[in-house]
Structures are given as structure tokens and as C-alpha cells.
């Protein structure tokens, strides 16, 4: 069996399109493409050409001979998928799908609010049209959303998605306005009057509360904050994470719960070379935590974490790096026939309290029961789902949403690609139908407007300088990057680099002094 997919899918589909024998599925057009937790390579169909591995932007595909022991289970997983879904048709997927073109070839300017994967995938879709220019705004001075501040530091291969995002940024017509909070530095109306359309891709930045007594006591935190803390998100650097006790309890058993459990239990040496934020790493190195209990309210069969994450955890256990103990019996819940589940009104199985209680001593409780979107600017908002209601991404002509603010906090990085494609397709429909009003003002005045309000706006060159500085600082201590976690320092570093660029360009464009000899 030549090539094997070894991690969650980035849904870029490059591998699928590169495959000359259509042996990677689910492919675009298959019902579960973009929602499947990973892609699979048919061992009997693969012709061992390696085109998929070359095309994969996150190095998730390997020849079976190079699988590490930790990746070995993926060989069987890839094969098992095709035992269930044979996908017998081996006609190669169209290499270049037909490109839609706008009816009217007028210049169009679109603002995308939120520079995470959903925002950048939306920009990518828009920039397939030469008439379109895209400005991507973010309240942070750094882009890439949860790829930077959510993906666990020991998942550096997943973080390679940043390479894909950088390719999107490099396209003509792309621009950044980083460090700008719409709703605070700039109103929604001020944005609307400067752009033909605005796509909101602001994600789901809050966590779901448990709504149990004591939830706000010291020692009870949200896992999403802890993720932000160790990933260097400037909003969470002051978080008091008490690692002075032996046991931590994480409530919820999704991928965030597993990420946090791994980071809290791994030998800090395994994290030293990653992009984990400096002070949290130092704190983890001093941690007294020896056990993390992940509490699921339903049985193992209903756990929300995905298979690639479980395989990764089991691999760590097999290496002897952590002990993993699964207790399905603690609350008398057999894995296949959970006795404390009841069908809800919509037919799904819901957990109900059994009346039995148990006390677990611990120093820290982390709720990892999902993210929740906040209300943004003056957009419509559904508090129950934490989303902006839309018709497949269209809020109204000229206003659109994509990513978690549209569909809720589910899916993987790659899910945002198909989500953004759907939204952009609505926007193009509205442009073609003449429903989008051209802007009343020129967006080029935004820089001056924001400067007059004391906002330092960073552009793509500034971000690249900041990125280079973080990598440079990291390299001095053998790390992928040393994240700058303070907003003011980010701005200082970027502005200083900008001054140097200006000075350099002044001298390099000056005519060379003539030799007097
Ligand atoms: P999630 O996948 O929605 O999981 C939430 C978990 O919390 C579920 O197990 C849920 O149980 C449980 N839960 C909810 N309310 C509860 C309560 N009151 N008491 C006890 N348990 C409760 O959320 P997430 O882990 O935050 O992940 C968000 C999204 O990001 C997911 O799509 C995830 O796959 C993705 N993500 C992916 C990765 C990765 O690919 N490596 C990493 C991180 C996050 P029920 O099932 O019973 O509701």
C-alpha cells in the first residue's frame, strides 16, 4: 500500500486533484467531502506516483514505508474506508474546474472582516475574479485566527496551513488592515459605504458556559481561554492557570478537550521547540499536574473528538509518554448501550442526569464544551446558536457571513473552504443580479481615517516583518517561532521594520554616486 493520509483533512483538495487515478476520497462532489474528518487513499487503487504527497499543503500524506509507529494505524484506517465505500469509478477528477465569470466587468471591492481561515478562504475565492480587490481586516495585529491561536502547539504539521494562507495573501488584489476592530475603531456603516460588499468571518470567540453553580469560582476556567493562553493570544496572557495541583478535570470530550489534556500532560520538553508562548511554557515546565480527567456526559461511542486525534493520543500512550485510561463503567454507562441517554425531541440522544454523584478532587476545572459566537457590530444575531442568521451565507445583498459565525463552531480548518465557496457564490449571484450597490466612498481613505483615531494599522508587509521577527527570535533558541504576545510590542516591531524598509528603499533607489576617478 503505497501512500497513506495521516491526519485531519485541510479540504484543500489539492491531493485529490493531483491524483491521476482518482483514488483519494471523499473527493469534491462526494456527499461527505468537506465534512469528513479526513481523506483516505485506496490502497488497491494507488499507483504510487507520489503526486498527492507533493500536492498536500500540510505534509499529511506519506508513503507507507515512511510511516512512524504513531502513524501506522492510519494505514488500516485508509484501507477500511474503501472496504465500506468502494468508490469504484476511477475517472480522474477534473483538474481545472470551469471558472465562473462575472457578467459585468466593473471593479469591485470587498472587505472581509476576520483574518482566520474562513476569511482567507473567502478572499481566495473572490480573487479568482480579476475585477475584485479584497481588504481583509482583523482586530489583532496578526492574521490566521485559530491556525495561530487555536491549533495545539504539538500539532505543527496542522499549522503548516499557514503556508497555504500565505499563498492566498500573495495574490494581486489582496490587502490587510490588521489591528482594526470593526464595531470599535470603525463602524459597520463606515465599512459598508466604502465597499461593494462585506463578508463577516469573525468566528466564535466566546466559550459555551456550563451554567452550573460555582462555574465562575477561581480554579474554573474555559478551555478555549487556556488554548489562547498557551498559544500566545494577546487577550489571554494574564489568565491565572493554576497548575499547582496533581489533577485537572476537563468537562466535555471534543477535540479541544483532547488538545488541552495533551498539552497539560506532555513532557514540556516535547513542546520546547514549538511555537508555544514563552511564559505558559515556563509555567508548564513547573507544573505539578499528573492527571487530566476528561469527562464525557455520554459514552465513548458518542465522544465528539475525531479519530485522527484519538490515534495521536494512543500513539503517545504507546510511546510511554502519557497513560491513557478509558473508563466507560464509572457511571455505569456501557459503551454501546448507554443507559442514561434519552432521545431528544429531534431524535438525537441526549444525556440525562442519573441522580448519582461523585466528587473528584482537583485543582483546576476546564470547561471544553464548545465555542459560542458573540454579537458583532450591529449584525443580526441568534443568541441560541451564537451565529448570524443567513441564507447560505447571504445576510442581505452586500452583507455576507462565512465560517463559524455562519454555521456555528463545528468542523475543521478545511471545512471553511467549502463554506467560503458557498458564501462567495451568493455574493457573485448578487453582483450578477445587480443587487449590490457600488460604494459611495473610496476605501483608500480608511488608513487616514483610522490614523486620525489613533489606530495603528498593519498591512501585509508589516505582518510579514512581524512573522520574520518571531521566526528569527525562535531560531536563536531552536524553536519554530517565539511568539510576540503583547499587542503594543507587535505594533512596535512592525512599525520599526516598516521604517527600516522605507529607509532601505530610499537608499537603494538613490542613483549611485559617480566615481571621481
Ligand atoms: P465540540 O466538538 O462541540 O465538543 C464539545 C463536547 O462537550 C462534546 O463532547 C459535548 O458532549 C460536550 N458537552 C457539551 N455540553 C456539555 C455539558 N453541559 N456537560 C458535559 N459535556 C458537555 O467542541 P470543541 O471540542 O470545542 O471543538 C469545536 C470544533 O473545533 C469541533 O468541530 C472540533 O472538531 C474542532 N477542533 C478540531 C481540532 C482538530 O482537528 N485537531 C482541534 C480543536 C478543535 P455532547 O456530544 O453530549 O453534546
Amino acid at each position: 500500500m503505497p501512500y497513506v493520509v495521516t491526519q485531519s483533512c485541510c479540504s484543500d483538495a489539492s491531493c485529490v486533484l493531483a491524483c491521476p487515478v482518482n483514488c483519494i476520497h471523499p473527493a469534491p462532489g462526494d456527499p461527505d467531502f468537506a465534512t469528513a474528518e479526513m481523506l483516505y487513499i485506496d490502497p488497491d487503487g494507488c499507483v504510487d506516483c507520489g503526486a498527492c504527497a507533493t500536492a498536500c499543503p500540510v505534509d499529511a500524506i506519506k508513503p507507507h514505508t515512511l510511516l512512524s509507529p504513531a502513524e501506522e494505524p492510519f494505514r488500516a484506517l485508509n484501507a477500511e474506508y474503501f472496504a465500506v465505500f468502494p468508490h469504484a469509478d476511477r475517472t480522474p477528477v477534473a483538474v481545472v474546474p470551469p471558472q465562473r465569470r462575472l457578467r459585468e466587468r466593473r471593479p469591485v471591492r470587498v472587505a472581509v472582516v476576520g483574518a482566520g481561515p474562513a476569511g482567507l478562504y473567502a478572499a481566495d475565492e473572490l480573487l479568482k475574479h480579476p475585477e475584485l480587490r479584497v481588504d481583509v481586516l482583523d482586530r489583532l495585529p496578526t492574521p490566521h485566527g485559530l491556525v495561530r491561536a487555536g491549533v495545539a502547539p504539538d500539532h505543527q504539521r496542522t499549522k503548516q496551513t499557514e503556508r497555504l494562507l500565505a499563498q492566498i495573501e500573495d495574490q494581486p488584489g489582496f490587502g490587510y488592515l490588521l489591528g482594526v476592530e470593526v464595531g470599535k475603531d470603525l463602524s459597520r456603516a463606515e465599512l459598508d459605504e466604502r465597499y461593494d460588499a462585506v463578508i463577516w468571518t469573525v468566528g466564535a470567540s466566546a466559550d459555551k458556559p456550563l451554567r452550573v453553580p460555582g462555574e465562575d469560582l477561581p480554579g474554573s476556567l474555559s478551555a478555549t481561554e487556556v488554548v489562547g493562553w498557551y498559544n500566545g493570544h494577546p487577550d489571554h496572557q494574564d489568565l491565572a492557570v493554576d497548575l499547582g495541583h496533581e489533577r485537572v478535570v476537563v468537562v466535555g470530550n471534543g477535540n479541544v478537550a483532547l488538545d488541552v489534556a495533551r498539552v497539560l500532560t506532555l513532557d514540556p520538553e516535547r513542546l520546547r521547540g514549538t511555537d508555544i508562548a514563552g511564559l505558559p511554557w515556563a509555567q508548564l515546565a513547573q507544573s505539578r499536574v499528573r492527571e487530566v480527567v476528561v469527562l464525557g456526559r455520554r459514552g465513548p461511542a458518542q465522544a465528539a473528538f475525531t479519530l485522527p486525534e484519538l490515534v495521536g493520543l494512543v500513539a503517545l500512550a504507546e510511546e510511554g509518554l502519557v497513560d491513557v485510561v478509558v473508563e466507560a463503567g464509572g457511571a455505569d454507562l456501557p459503551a454501546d448501550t448507554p443507559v442514561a441517554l434519552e432521545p431528544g425531541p429531534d431524535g438525537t440522544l441526549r444525556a440525562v442526569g442519573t441522580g448519582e454523584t461523585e466528587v473528584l478532587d482537583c485543582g483546576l476545572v476546564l470547561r471544553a464544551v464548545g465555542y459560542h459566537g458573540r454579537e458583532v457590530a450591529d449584525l443580526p444575531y441568534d443568541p441560541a446558536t451564537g451565529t448570524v442568521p443567513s441564507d447560505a451565507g447571504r445576510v442581505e445583498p452586500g452583507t455576507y457571513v462565512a465560517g463559524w459565525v455562519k454555521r456555528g463552531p463545528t468542523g475543521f480548518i478545511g471545512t471553511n473552504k467549502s463554506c467560503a465557496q458557498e458564501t462567495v457564490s451568493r455574493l457573485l449571484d448578487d453582483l450578477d443580479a445587480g443587487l449590490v450597490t457600488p460604494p459611495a466612498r473610496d476605501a483608500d481613505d480608511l488608513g487616514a481615517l483610522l490614523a486620525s483615531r489613533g489606530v495603528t494599522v498593519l498591512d501585509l508587509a508589516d505582518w510579514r516583518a512581524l512573522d520574520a521577527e518571531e521566526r528569527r527570535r525562535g531560531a536563536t533558541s531552536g524553536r519554530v517561532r517565539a511568539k510576540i504576545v503583547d499587542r503594543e510590542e507587535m505594533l512596535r516591531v512592525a512599525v520599526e521594520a516598516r521604517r527600516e524598509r522605507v529607509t532601505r528603499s530610499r537608499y537603494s533607489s538613490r542613483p549611485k554616486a559617480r566615481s571621481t576617478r
Side-chain angles (χ1 to χ4, degrees):
M1 173 181 174
Y3 280 82
V4 180
V5 182
T6 64
Q7 68 179 62
S8 289
C9 179
C10 70
S11 291
D12 179 60
S14 313
C15 58
V16 177
L17 297 178
C19 177
V21 290
N22 190 9
C23 77
I24 308 178
H25 288 274
D30 290 340
D32 42 357
F33 174 72
T35 54
E37 53 190 48
M38 57 179 287
L39 299 187
Y40 307 89
I41 296 179
D42 180 3
D44 298 326
C46 179
V47 291
D48 197 12
C49 68
C52 54
T54 308
C56 176
V58 292
D59 294 343
I61 302 180
K62 289 187 167 183
H64 76 109
T65 46
L66 294 185
L67 292 176
S68 67
E71 291 162 340
E72 198 54 43
F74 286 103
R75 188 203 283 240
L77 279 176
N78 278 242
E80 275 165 18
Y81 173 82
F82 288 92
V84 182
F85 307 103
H87 291 284
D89 181 5
R90 288 281 172 259
T91 314
V93 177
V95 175
V96 183
Q99 177 59 55
R100 173 178 180 168
R101 286 286 157 237
L102 284 169
R103 280 215 190 109
E104 197 193 338
R105 294 285 172 97
R106 73 169 172 92
V108 173
R109 242 175 133 167
V110 180
V112 173
V113 185
L120 291 191
Y121 283 134
D124 194 30
E125 285 306 310
L126 293 163
L127 291 172
K128 289 179 178 159
H129 301 268
E131 305 84 354
L132 267 64
R133 280 171 68 189
V134 182
D135 289 335
V136 179
L137 295 88
D138 201 289
R139 72 186 184 89
L140 292 181
T142 53
H144 303 171
L146 286 179
V147 176
R148 179 178 165 98
V151 173
D154 59 329
H155 280 179
Q156 288 298 314
R157 269 208 280 159
T158 309
K159 292 209 186 221
Q160 286 179 17
T161 314
E162 288 203 276
R163 291 189 204 157
L164 257 182
L165 303 183
Q167 284 170 15
I168 296 171
E169 294 164 347
D170 283 338
Q171 296 178 82
F174 181 95
Y176 265 142
L177 293 160
L178 299 171
V180 181
E181 184 166 348
V182 185
K184 184 175 145 235
D185 302 322
L186 199 63
S187 70
R188 180 182 164 204
E190 285 171 324
L191 206 55
D192 283 345
E193 65 183 353
R194 285 172 173 79
Y195 290 91
D196 295 80
V198 181
I199 304 183
W200 296 79
T201 56
V202 290
S205 56
D207 64 292
K208 272 190 202 144
L210 278 171
R211 299 190 201 290
V212 296
E215 189 171 8
D216 296 324
L217 289 173
S220 164
L221 299 173
S222 100
T224 59
E225 288 174 315
V226 174
V227 168
W229 171 71
Y230 60 60
N231 264 319
H233 192 297
D235 286 357
H236 303 299
Q237 293 312 293
D238 295 332
L239 195 69
V241 185
D242 183 355
L243 304 176
H245 304 262
E246 292 216 340
R247 186 187 286 139
V248 174
V249 171
V250 181
V251 182
N253 56 1
N255 281 331
V256 168
L258 288 201
D259 281 349
V260 171
R262 261 192 349 270
V263 170
L264 291 184
T265 46
L266 265 183
D267 177 352
E269 283 308 312
R270 301 263 306 191
L271 298 170
R272 186 196 278 275
T274 71
D275 63 343
I276 189 168
L279 283 176
W281 181 82
Q283 231 172 297
L284 284 165
Q286 302 291 319
S287 167
R288 297 188 56 206
V289 174
R290 293 291 168 270
E291 181 186 356
V292 176
V293 178
V294 176
L295 281 185
R297 63 177 169 180
R298 301 194 281 167
Q302 291 84 25
F305 52 72
T306 51
L307 208 49
E309 302 314 309
L310 184 62
V311 170
L313 189 63
V314 170
L316 291 176
E318 282 173 357
E319 271 187 76
L321 297 171
V322 291
D323 290 325
V324 179
V325 180
V326 180
E327 285 180 8
D332 200 17
L333 285 176
D336 50 354
T337 51
V339 291
L341 293 181
E342 278 187 2
D346 57 357
T348 55
L349 287 177
R350 295 182 312 169
V352 288
T354 59
E356 284 176 53
T357 57
E358 193 181 328
V359 176
L360 274 177
D361 284 332
C362 63
L364 188 61
V365 179
L366 303 177
R367 53 187 181 276
V369 295
Y371 289 80
H372 197 76
R374 292 179 204 266
E375 202 167 352
V376 197
D378 54 354
L379 286 171
Y381 177 69
D382 175 358
T385 57
T387 59
V388 172
S390 74
D391 168 20
R394 179 199 287 118
V395 180
E396 59 187 17
T399 303
Y400 307 85
V401 282
W404 280 4
V405 69
K406 166 183 164 187
R407 57 175 211 279
T410 57
F412 316 97
I413 295 169
T415 318
N416 293 300
K417 191 174 170 86
S418 48
C419 181
Q421 281 169 338
E422 181 186 62
T423 295
V424 169
S425 155
R426 290 294 168 284
L427 192 162
L428 299 176
D429 290 347
D430 290 349
L431 279 172
D432 277 349
L435 296 173
V436 171
T437 322
R441 306 178 69 123
D442 187 341
D444 283 343
D445 75 351
L446 271 181
L449 178 71
L450 287 159
S452 74
R453 293 175 182 172
V455 182
T456 305
V457 184
L458 303 190
D459 63 14
L460 176 58
D462 297 327
W463 155 240
R464 291 282 164 87
L466 194 53
D467 180 40
E469 175 60 12
E470 287 189 342
R471 290 180 192 277
R472 189 195 65 74
R473 290 186 190 185
T476 60
S477 52
R479 309 189 53 210
V480 176
R481 70 166 72 226
K483 274 182 180 162
I484 300 172
V485 299
D486 174 67
R487 260 196 201 81
E488 294 308 314
E489 191 186 351
M490 289 174 183
L491 297 178
R492 240 189 347 266
V493 166
V495 169
E496 181 55 34
R498 190 190 295 172
R499 278 201 204 102
E500 281 172 21
R501 280 198 306 279
V502 171
T503 311
R504 259 202 314 276
S505 71
R506 195 177 298 138
Y507 285 106
S508 63
S509 59
R510 197 176 265 186
K512 284 209 175 92
R514 282 220 183 132
S515 164
T516 49
R517 280 194 289 165

